[in-house]
Amino acid sequence: MKLHWWGAPEKIKDAEKLRSPVERFPGSVLLKKASQMTIFLRGVMIREKYDSSVFHSKDTNDLFIATTYQIGTEPTINVVHYIQEGAELGWQGDFFSNVVLAEDDFKSDHITLRLQVYDLDNYDRYKSLIDSALSEINVGLIFPVLMPYMAFASSISKQLLELVDVMDTHDRIIDERIRFAAAEPGTGQKILQTGHFVCFKDEIDAESENLYLDKNLRVTHEDGNEFEDCSYAIYTITDRLYTDYGWIIDQKVAKLLSELNGKGNSGEAAIHFLRNTIEAYTKYRKVERYIELKSKQDLTEEEKRLLNRLESEIKEDDVFKKLISEIQ
């Protein structure tokens, strides 16, 4: 059976035979609602050359690598991993960020990933824009939706966003998607589980070709020789949470802005999404302020009144009332 996506267990001693993602891998953890999860793009093996200009006599591509993901019906989030002029064929893995998403409380029963690996046509048109962005690399480039709010000039941000939005008009190296479901084996669904997942440019029958994933995350034949028939990318799904708190906050901001920009499919209006977010933040700040005042020795009259008001409001909220009682 030919597929674009194949997988292997997360722990590889020497090499593991590639399996269909509808199977449970040996030793894998099935991820369900409330699970912790981090997804990484570990690298991309580029086998095809698209640069055909006389100025590009070497085997290179002007690479653009990104992942778009959607958890359930939440807004789609685009993560740019890499932009590189004149990238040579072979393994690419030194990305701006190889993290796709990090969830400490998975709230859906499925997630969709789309990998986009493209050769940028007429790179010179974008060179100054990309060089400006790369000179002060930050989350605005990793999460394009944040670009208008970063230090870039508005014209640069707009053009970079347009480049991301029309990426599929350039030379396609890999552009494939997969929908993982929090499902049991034997259901015919691609199982959301820990492991490594290989996305091939072409449909491959990895079983009949006896393809393996080795400990260096390279696809090989049974004899250990590298697979060279087409490009491929490696994702890793773990049941551990990525610990860069700042990155996680940026991810949440990107999700909020994507919802406000109309990229959500939840059926909930963007303004309601924003209200819910602001409400949760406001409640948190009230409790934070309450704890601060409660710990002070001498309060002004104004602070006493504020403390009483906060205490009254908190007692009306079942969740925060329980939290405060435990703190006290």
Side-chain angles (χ1 to χ4, degrees), residues 117-280:
V117 182
Y118 277 80
D119 170 64
L120 293 173
D121 297 328
N122 303 314
Y123 188 87
D124 290 343
R125 289 177 52 196
Y126 312 103
K127 182 175 174 57
S128 61
L129 298 173
I130 293 172
D131 287 349
S132 296
L134 295 181
S135 66
E136 45 181 306
I137 180 64
N138 52 43
V139 295
L141 190 57
I142 297 168
F143 296 105
V145 71
L146 301 186
M147 274 194 253
Y149 306 92
M150 309 306 292
F152 305 124
S154 59
S155 60
I156 293 177
S157 297
K158 182 179 179 181
Q159 291 178 71
L160 282 172
L161 282 172
E162 289 174 350
L163 170 61
V164 173
D165 288 342
V166 299
M167 185 50 55
D168 54 9
T169 64
H170 293 264
D171 290 327
R172 172 187 181 274
I173 300 177
I174 308 174
D175 192 336
E176 298 297 335
R177 70 182 69 214
I178 187 171
R179 183 185 188 274
F180 291 109
E184 296 291 331
T187 61
Q189 301 183 78
K190 299 174 181 67
I191 302 170
L192 182 58
Q193 61 183 311
T194 58
H196 303 292
F197 295 86
V198 186
C199 176
F200 289 97
K201 170 184 172 62
D202 301 327
E203 288 190 325
I204 300 294
D205 190 340
E207 291 179 338
S208 65
E209 293 187 38
N210 287 320
L211 296 182
Y212 288 74
L213 189 66
D214 71 13
K215 60 185 178 182
N216 296 314
L217 300 186
R218 305 295 194 271
V219 177
T220 68
H221 295 281
E222 190 173 14
D223 60 7
N225 290 324
E226 284 203 30
F227 171 83
E228 298 181 346
D229 291 4
C230 68
S231 297
Y232 62 86
I234 309 289
Y235 284 96
T236 300
I237 301 180
T238 77
D239 62 344
R240 300 175 294 279
L241 181 65
Y242 184 58
T243 55
D244 186 336
Y245 184 70
W247 191 96
I248 292 174
I249 292 298
D250 293 331
Q251 175 188 243
K252 292 182 183 296
V253 174
K255 185 178 295 186
L256 174 61
L257 291 174
S258 294
E259 181 70 53
L260 295 176
N261 289 339
K263 294 186 177 181
N265 297 307
S266 63
E268 180 181 32
I271 190 63
H272 293 160
F273 187 93
L274 178 60
R275 282 172 177 163
N276 290 341
T277 303
I278 296 300
E279 180 184 13

Side-chain angles (χ1 to χ4, degrees), residues 69-104:
Y69 73 86
Q70 183 180 29
I71 297 175
T73 56
E74 289 184 357
T76 55
I77 307 297
N78 185 272
V79 183
V80 175
H81 301 289
Y82 195 57
I83 304 176
Q84 179 62 52
E85 180 183 17
E88 294 185 2
L89 300 187
W91 182 257
Q92 303 292 336
D94 295 328
F95 301 146
F96 309 144
S97 173
N98 69 344
V99 185
V100 175
L101 68 91
E103 290 289 318
D104 60 353

